[in-house]
Amino acid sequence: MFSKVLVANRGEIAVRIMRALEEMGIASVAVYSELDRDALHVARADEAYNLGEGPAAENYLNVQKILEVAKRAGAEAIHPGYGFLAENAPFAQACEDAEIVFIGPPPSAIEAMGSKTTARELMQAAGVPIVPGTTEPVATPADALEIAKKEIGFPVAVKAAGGGGGKGFRVALTEEELEGAFEGASREGEKFFSDPTVYLERYLPDPRHIEVQVLADRHGNVIHLGERDCSIQRRHQKVIEESPAPEWVVDEALRAHIGEIGVEAARAVGYVGAGTIEGLLAPREDGSAEYFFLEMNTRVQVEHCVTEMTTGVDIVKEGIRAAAGEELAVHQADVVLRGHAIECRINAEDASKNFAPAPGKIGAYSEPKGPGVRVDSGVGAGGEVSPMYDPMVAKLIVWDADRAQATRRMLRALEEYEIEGLKTLIPFHQALLQTEQ
């Protein structure tokens, strides 16, 4: 096992990882930008190193600086968390070249799953169901129109090959809309992922977004920890997640089927560590549902907490064990889902203004407490949510015996949560959780 690990991230996920490291008897190393000098993750670490001023490209995304700090601090491994360098295959390779362990999958798996077209091709070859569409990039709007008319039909989704987080995603309901959708997806793919190539999928108008948590080690063990329902989104980005999915959405038979898909997908790319298979559950006319592979996130997910609450498995610790060459501490037969967990992302956003970011300095700050309540946060009173970074203030997670009781507990916790000085999504969550479903 490692004796010291550098956490190449900030905010709540950096604090979350450091807590796991402390419980495992591993020293933690933080890195930070000048803007984050007084941040919670800096104070939480055993050691902290300043990466300098400027935008993220000059600090949190500066591979050379991070590797230099890891060497200077004597860290044997680097945990990337999520975002920033977490799904960056060249960074994982650079760690390997520097003889520093990257806590995550091998570079080959990140690269394979980073391209949506490559991932679709691999999954199809492995027998994993994918949304009908192209496995190769589509070169022009004219080609897209021909394929859509002959093979897929309308409506059709146009997606950037390197896209994610709702970027590079367009829908064409009719033939007339396809050229604009193609150009928009390609433009965003180039802007956000340096890759203008796009592909086509059948657009599923009313699916549930269901994902499967997987864990794998270097000894051939691959397991799943059940599913999460992440269907509540804004601009194709999640805001509320729950585990398990509501019983009228996923029953035991479907849960087992989806879990098997997740395991097979992870095996197909030689996966190691914690990862998530994302998919779409589309209703059929006969009332049943069909599950399709969408993409694989080769990292720990923001919403991993709800799975931890229902399974009792520490996903972050298991990922660290796998990276250290140890076997998973849990086997598939040990995995039992108990109760229901819900997570609300407490973002500094104004829902009344189309979820516009609302950065600023935090005044009074008090987190909810009590049975079955967990808060993963990276801020406190006097802290600041900067426009330079993600607007997430914290994640509020609750657990209870069933979905109805968990919902009531979440409403109680939201009512107790005090964050002054910022507009947050708390009122939005309160309104949404009081709807029927």
Side-chain angles (χ1 to χ4, degrees), residues 203-283:
Y203 179 64
L204 306 175
D206 192 26
R208 304 286 295 207
H209 187 114
I210 306 294
E211 62 187 32
V212 183
Q213 177 71 57
V214 295
L215 293 171
D217 61 27
R218 301 183 191 279
H219 302 274
N221 300 307
V222 185
I223 67 170
H224 71 86
L225 302 180
E227 84 286 355
R228 297 185 286 257
D229 191 332
C230 306
S231 302
I232 301 176
Q233 304 182 11
R234 52 95 172 97
R235 297 195 294 273
H236 303 290
Q237 293 180 320
K238 305 161 190 171
V239 290
I240 296 180
E241 302 96 356
E242 58 185 311
S243 180
E247 58 185 11
W248 65 85
V249 175
V250 176
D251 60 20
E252 287 298 330
L254 183 55
R255 176 170 298 116
H257 174 63
I258 292 172
E260 288 171 8
I261 289 173
V263 168
E264 288 306 310
R267 288 192 187 282
V269 293
Y271 202 79
V272 175
T276 298
I277 306 300
E278 302 214 17
L280 297 177
L281 190 64

Side-chain angles (χ1 to χ4, degrees), residues 425-436:
L425 292 186
I426 289 177
F428 169 80
H429 291 312
Q430 289 172 316
L432 189 61
L433 288 164
Q434 293 180 74
T435 59
E436 287 188 12

